[in-house]
Amino acid sequence: MRVKSLEISGFKSFARKSIFEFDTPISAIVGPNGSGKSNVAEALRFVLGEQSLKSMRGKRTEDLIWNGSKSVERQNRAKVTITFDNRDHTFPIDYNEVAIAREIHRDASSEYFLNDSSVRLKDIIELLSSVNIGASGHHIISQGEADRILNSSPRDRREMIEDALGLKIYHWKIAESERKLIKTEENVRQSESLRREIAPHIKFLKKQVEKIEQARSFRDELASLYNEYLKREEIYLSYTRTTLHKEKNELEAELKTAEEGLARAESMRGVNHQDSKESAELLRVRGELGNMRREHTELGRKQGRLEGMIEYEERRLSAPVESENKMIPVEESKNLAENLYEELGKAERSEDLSYIRGVISAVRARVGQFLSSIRGDAGVAERNDNAKRELEKLRDEHSALSKAQGELENSMNKLDARAKELERVLESKRAETTDAERISFELRSKKQELTLRLSMVHDRNEYFAREEVAFKEEIREGGILIGRLIQDYPNFALDEGSALAEPRSEQEARRKKIERLKIRLEDIMGGDAGSDVVKEYEETVARDEFLAKELEDLKSSAESLRKLMQELNETLDGQFKEGILKINKQFSEFFTLMFGGGSASLQVFYEKKKKRSDTDLNLEEGIPTEEEEEAEEGIEVAISLPHKKIRGLQMLSGGERALTSIALLFAMSQVNPPPFLVLDETDAALDEANSKKYGDMVQNLSKYSQLIVITHNRETMSRAGVIYGITMSADAISKLLSIKFEEATQIAK
Ligand code: ATP
């Protein structure tokens, strides 16, 4: 790989497009002061991505663009293109020619192109670093910068050497790893913080899920309890329903039968009551008989009295007539009076008119008799006639009475017979009624009993209806808690007989158990702890697991990064030390060559450096309060000149410094040759003898690196294969001309 050409357009003094072809190992650029030679070196820095305006002698981007002259207008853009021959594919890309271009505008915008395709600066840097063209620009030694490495601090020197050794890549890798590590550690912190944040949520959700799981197990338990309970209840209810129905039907039938029987018995009793006309007749007959008997007795008494009176009349007729002043026996008067009193009293109480009349005529007759007896016999004949007539009348009356008595007795006999018949009839009817009453009584009490039993069945039916409602309610309530599982109870295997044989208290115990479980389940379920929580829990756990995994990955990648950094540091350290050894060998050789003796070497040293903390200042005194020590590696250049006792670089002359610098630069380039090396008047301070040596070294170095030298030195020019002359005319534009060596020496002056 080598630089083929450099095209400059609008960059600094190169207002017009100028193309440098670098076909030989050493190309020289010559020209008078201020003609624009260094601008070429800067164009090379520029196109390779240099970001420091200072290193291109500018303050603003605009300073890099042709700024115009009296005769030529300024330009708005500057473009530089460097083309590499990549046939050996040193650049790891599949092009035989690699053209890198950079274009800037006055607005400071910058564009990069790789083979005309727009790319990022990063892509350019990566591509160049792959061929050991580092950012520190150690391969482009600017004018007056040759001894920069001697003037630098030990630490900067180390950096330059590392760059020259191609070790920058390790620094980048380390820095990259460190960036990644910082990012990774930040991610670790973030993941940890996220995990810490979700931890209490997971804990909370876990509890919820545990509750749900517990509820689920309760539900399963409840479902199996319900299955058995409801199945048993169903069997019980169905059996009870049938039994009650049957019982009710039977009782109703029985009641109906009893009621019919009762109605019959009652109607039987009613009939017998209606038949009481016989008893009424009997009553009437008996009454009549009584009357007749009384009449009969009365007739008897009347007969007796008539008989007495007849007897008295007969006696009176037959008795001799007593004297006029016959004494009236007191006894007789008393008897008569008592008799009359009694007879009249009876007549008074009787309503029978004929009887009363009879009594009256009898009393009259007696009183007549008595009067006759006491008045004395006015005429016995009259008295006898009267007596006879009276007797006759009495006898008529008596026979009439006897006749009436006979007729009465006849009637009485007839009535008696009737009464007896009636009594018989009634007796038989009474017997019949007694049977009906007994049956009626029995049926009534049976009816009563049946009604009672029916009402009990009715009560049980009502209770049963409540049980059925409770059963449905139980299914409904259970459904709320265990869902469709509640519908499974009909499939519960259970022997009906043994289920019915079980005491109800067992079922009651089951119900209580269900009730307790329901309460516990409701307690757990609280509000609605449904599948949402489980889903959220699973998602959160998954997220936590993801974070944990991520954290693990991050930690392991952080660990790998640390390990990588350590390895890189070790490699860097190793290669650095190895590189120093190699450089020292070359350095010593070149030095000896330049100075004809003496020695030179790079020495790595560690210095303890006070590190100041910017963050913790003692404000009063304005000095850092916290200091810590840190080891720092640096490079010192140790030299000893032949025949001279030199202590330190600062004691060297300008030429000696230049020689030492050149020796070191060449040594560095030799150990790790860059693809090309630009040396801008590095030889300026050399005398003729040293110029010769310098020329030899340049020639030697060109075996490893392509050299572009800007020089005024004849000796150096003489080593170049191609010489470009740069001139600047009145228009202040740098112009390029390819010239012969002889011309070159002329132009250079
Ligand atoms: P010497 O031999 O003295 O080192 P040189 O050949 O290296 O000189 P340069 O330093 O490359 O010369 O060129 C400097 C010239 O470039 C100056 O004349 C300066 O005016 C010119 N120049 C620098 N920047 C611009 C710009 N932006 N526009 C126009 N001309 C510029």
Side-chain angles (χ1 to χ4, degrees):
M1 191 270 268
R2 62 180 181 85
V3 181
K4 253 179 101 175
S5 63
L6 179 74
E7 187 182 311
I8 309 175
S9 169
F11 185 83
K12 288 201 162 185
S13 57
F14 288 88
R16 306 227 162 81
K17 188 193 277 185
S18 307
I19 300 172
F20 295 82
E21 304 277 353
F22 301 117
D23 293 332
T24 53
I26 303 171
S27 304
I29 296 170
V30 302
N33 290 133
S35 59
K37 303 183 294 297
S38 293
N39 289 345
V40 177
E42 278 153 17
L44 275 161
R45 278 188 192 280
F46 170 78
V47 76
L48 298 177
E50 179 61 80
Q51 296 300 299
S52 158
L53 284 166
K54 198 176 150 209
S55 69
M56 293 181 284
R57 294 178 297 166
K59 283 184 183 156
R60 299 166 301 159
T61 310
E62 278 184 311
D63 297 339
L64 304 181
I65 304 171
W66 164 250
N67 206 27
S69 63
K70 278 181 185 160
S71 52
V72 181
E73 257 188 41
R74 71 174 195 165
Q75 288 205 3
N76 290 327
R77 61 174 200 124
K79 184 173 184 180
V80 178
T81 307
I82 183 167
T83 305
F84 294 92
D85 182 337
N86 190 40
R87 278 175 299 186
D88 57 3
H89 292 279
T90 307
F91 281 119
I93 50 174
D94 202 15
Y95 290 103
N96 288 332
E97 214 172 71
V98 173
I100 295 169
R102 181 179 179 185
E103 188 175 316
I104 50 161
H105 301 262
R106 288 197 176 272
D107 62 4
S109 59
S110 196
E111 281 179 278
Y112 294 88
F113 301 90
L114 179 63
N115 287 355
D116 293 328
S117 298
S118 179
V119 289
R120 296 166 300 169
L121 169 63
K122 186 171 174 280
D123 302 322
I124 301 292
I125 291 173
E126 268 178 26
L127 185 67
L128 293 172
S129 66
S130 72
V131 294
N132 196 26
I133 302 175
S136 75
H138 68 276
H139 52 287
I140 300 176
I141 310 299
S142 297
Q143 193 176 4
E145 287 268 290
D147 62 349
R148 186 159 65 103
I149 192 159
L150 297 187
N151 299 334
S152 305
S153 69
R155 170 136 197 91
D156 290 346
R157 206 175 283 141
R158 182 190 158 120
E159 254 181 55
M160 286 184 216
I161 288 165
E162 274 178 353
D163 197 12
L165 284 170
L167 301 180
K168 268 281 179 223
I169 186 87
Y170 292 108
H171 279 291
W172 288 333
K173 282 182 178 170
I174 289 166
E176 175 99 351
S177 302
E178 203 163 355
R179 261 199 313 282
K180 281 185 187 162
L181 183 61
I182 288 168
K183 184 104 190 91
T184 308
E185 280 169 346
E186 174 59 31
N187 289 340
V188 165
R189 276 193 296 281
Q190 269 181 13
S191 297
E192 278 173 346
S193 140
L194 279 172
R195 283 196 76 196
R196 266 199 305 278
E197 268 173 41
I198 58 173
H201 191 49
I202 288 182
K203 207 173 149 195
F204 168 76
L205 287 172
K206 191 167 182 252
K207 268 193 192 151
Q208 295 289 100
V209 167
E210 274 168 8
K211 272 188 173 183
I212 288 165
E213 271 160 9
Q214 201 182 15
R216 200 168 283 160
S217 95
F218 277 175
R219 244 202 301 275
D220 289 347
E221 198 186 336
L222 191 60
S224 78
L225 277 176
Y226 255 132
N227 271 351
E228 187 177 353
Y229 173 78
L230 291 173
K231 180 69 184 184
R232 282 180 185 278
E233 202 63 4
E234 189 191 44
I235 290 171
Y236 161 77
L237 289 176
S238 146
Y239 172 78
T240 311
R241 192 183 300 110
T242 322
T243 311
L244 281 175
H245 190 68
K246 195 170 152 233
E247 219 169 303
K248 186 171 170 259
N249 284 351
E250 279 172 5
L251 283 174
E252 276 171 353
E254 261 188 82
L255 185 64
K256 199 178 166 215
T257 315
E259 274 171 345
E260 281 167 3
L262 187 61
R264 264 197 311 279
E266 287 294 315
S267 78
M268 181 77 85
R269 278 177 64 206
V271 166
N272 289 351
H273 277 297
Q274 276 169 22
D275 290 351
S276 63
K277 69 178 185 203
E278 273 114 350
S279 53
E281 193 188 343
L282 184 60
L283 264 179
R284 189 177 48 77
V285 168
R286 278 189 183 140
E288 255 176 66
L289 262 175
N291 287 341
M292 281 176 176
R293 268 193 204 104
R294 263 192 309 278
E295 204 178 327
H296 187 262
T297 314
E298 196 53 43
L299 286 177
R301 222 177 351 256
K302 276 180 189 170
Q303 258 183 330
R305 216 166 25 246
L306 284 176
E307 278 164 10
M309 284 163 78
I310 289 167
E311 197 185 297
Y312 173 73
E313 290 300 327
E314 280 170 349
R315 212 168 40 230
R316 217 167 47 129
L317 278 173
S318 60
V321 179
E322 291 170 17
S323 71
E324 264 296 298
N325 294 327
K326 182 183 154 186
M327 288 298 286
I328 301 161
V330 176
E331 192 62 28
E332 192 180 331
S333 306
K334 191 183 158 233
N335 276 345
L336 177 67
E338 277 173 2
N339 245 331
L340 291 176
Y341 183 79
E342 194 187 333
E343 286 300 322
L344 285 169
K346 282 179 187 167
E348 191 182 28
R349 285 191 299 274
S350 174
E351 284 170 2
D352 191 346
L353 212 63
S354 64
Y355 170 67
I356 296 167
R357 241 188 243 123
V359 171
I360 294 169
S361 54
V363 167
R364 197 173 162 260
R366 293 273 310 263
V367 172
Q369 277 172 3
F370 183 69
L371 283 175
S372 326
S373 68
I374 59 172
R375 258 184 272 145
D377 205 8
V380 176
E382 190 190 358
R383 208 179 53 187
N384 281 348
D385 284 349
N386 285 346
K388 279 179 189 163
R389 274 193 306 272
E390 192 64 32
L391 193 59
E392 197 62 31
K393 199 179 153 199
L394 287 171
R395 277 183 183 140
D396 284 352
E397 267 180 48
H398 187 266
S399 81
L401 275 178
S402 291
K403 194 180 169 207
Q405 200 170 31
E407 278 170 11
L408 192 60
E409 276 171 6
N410 243 352
S411 297
M412 277 170 67
N413 284 342
K414 272 185 197 155
L415 275 180
D416 204 40
R418 177 66 186 154
K420 283 209 170 75
E421 193 191 329
L422 283 170
E423 269 167 11
R424 252 195 332 278
V425 169
L426 282 170
E427 186 53 38
S428 98
K429 282 205 172 176
R430 205 159 20 248
E432 242 176 58
T433 307
T434 313
D435 264 4
E437 261 168 5
R438 185 182 49 75
I439 289 168
S440 166
F441 175 77
E442 277 173 13
L443 286 176
R444 237 195 313 274
S445 63
K446 178 143 197 205
K447 186 184 160 189
Q448 223 164 23
E449 185 206 318
L450 287 171
T451 313
L452 184 72
R453 279 172 64 193
L454 254 177
S455 106
M456 277 160 70
V457 167
H458 179 74
D459 287 352
R460 275 168 60 202
N461 246 329
E462 275 187 356
Y463 180 73
F464 174 72
R466 281 199 295 279
E467 281 184 319
E468 272 197 315
V469 169
F471 177 68
K472 280 178 190 152
E473 183 59 16
E474 202 67 70
I475 291 176
R476 195 189 65 80
E477 272 183 21
I480 294 170
L481 289 170
I482 63 167
R484 269 185 293 155
L485 288 178
I486 197 81
Q487 306 292 351
D488 291 348
Y489 74 88
N491 306 328
F492 188 83
L494 194 63
D495 177 56
E496 207 171 304
S498 66
L500 288 170
E502 188 194 76
R504 270 304 267 169
S505 57
E506 297 280 319
Q507 186 71 335
E508 185 55 26
R510 247 174 234 117
R511 203 186 57 75
K512 280 185 180 150
K513 201 171 170 189
I514 285 175
E515 218 45 55
R516 281 197 295 276
L517 204 53
K518 267 160 78 179
I519 290 166
R520 288 176 72 189
L521 186 56
E522 275 165 358
D523 227 31
I524 289 173
M525 282 166 77
D528 177 42
S531 55
D532 281 358
V533 174
V534 179
K535 199 172 159 225
E536 195 184 343
Y537 173 70
E538 281 168 0
E539 280 170 6
T540 318
V541 165
R543 174 150 170 70
D544 186 58
E545 278 167 0
F546 170 78
L547 284 171
K549 175 84 180 55
E550 193 181 62
L551 201 57
E552 201 179 295
D553 290 352
L554 284 168
K555 280 182 177 165
S556 90
S557 74
E559 194 45 49
S560 325
L561 283 168
R562 278 190 208 100
K563 208 167 152 212
L564 176 68
M565 278 164 70
Q566 194 191 342
E567 279 168 13
L568 286 168
N569 272 315
E570 279 166 13
T571 312
L572 175 66
D573 210 45
Q575 293 203 5
F576 177 69
K577 284 183 178 134
E578 202 180 314
I580 291 287
L581 286 176
K582 284 182 185 165
I583 290 172
N584 274 344
K585 189 165 174 279
Q586 294 294 327
F587 186 27
S588 180
E589 275 178 24
F590 286 132
F591 190 84
T592 318
L593 182 71
M594 293 291 236
F595 289 97
S599 69
S601 67
L602 299 176
Q603 290 178 350
V604 183
F605 75 96
Y606 298 89
E607 73 175 0
K608 297 278 183 187
K609 198 189 168 192
K610 304 274 184 198
K611 190 190 175 194
R612 287 177 178 173
S613 163
D614 295 334
T615 53
D616 196 5
L617 290 174
N618 182 325
L619 296 173
E620 269 178 41
E621 294 177 33
I623 53 161
T625 54
E626 196 177 296
E627 294 178 351
E628 69 181 52
E629 285 185 335
E630 154 181 292
E632 194 176 65
E633 270 183 20
I635 303 263
E636 283 295 9
V637 183
I639 50 157
S640 85
L641 294 179
H643 321 300
K644 286 185 181 176
K645 239 184 157 178
I646 294 285
R647 287 191 307 277
L649 292 171
Q650 68 281 4
M651 291 175 72
L652 294 173
S653 76
E656 283 167 342
R657 280 185 77 83
L659 283 173
T660 309
S661 305
I662 289 162
L664 179 53
L665 282 172
F666 283 23
M668 279 157 60
S669 300
Q670 185 101 3
V671 169
N672 187 34
F676 65 93
L677 194 59
V678 181
L679 301 167
D680 188 357
E681 299 190 35
T682 314
D683 52 4
L686 304 182
D687 59 21
E688 215 175 306
N690 281 329
S691 295
K692 174 89 173 59
K693 288 176 191 164
Y694 176 80
D696 289 343
M697 274 160 60
V698 164
Q699 203 147 20
N700 186 49
L701 201 61
S702 70
K703 288 182 208 153
Y704 312 102
S705 299
Q706 190 179 359
L707 290 171
I708 298 165
V709 291
I710 297 168
T711 184
H712 292 289
N713 193 311
R714 252 178 72 88
E715 184 59 45
T716 311
M717 285 180 225
S718 71
R719 313 285 174 138
V722 63
I723 301 171
Y724 284 105
I726 295 178
T727 57
M728 187 179 273
S729 50
D731 56 8
I733 295 174
S734 295
K735 288 190 185 70
L736 183 63
L737 46 141
S738 181
I739 48 171
K740 296 276 177 307
F741 173 66
E742 291 310 316
E743 292 170 285
T745 49
Q746 208 53 40
I747 284 170
K749 284 170 188 166

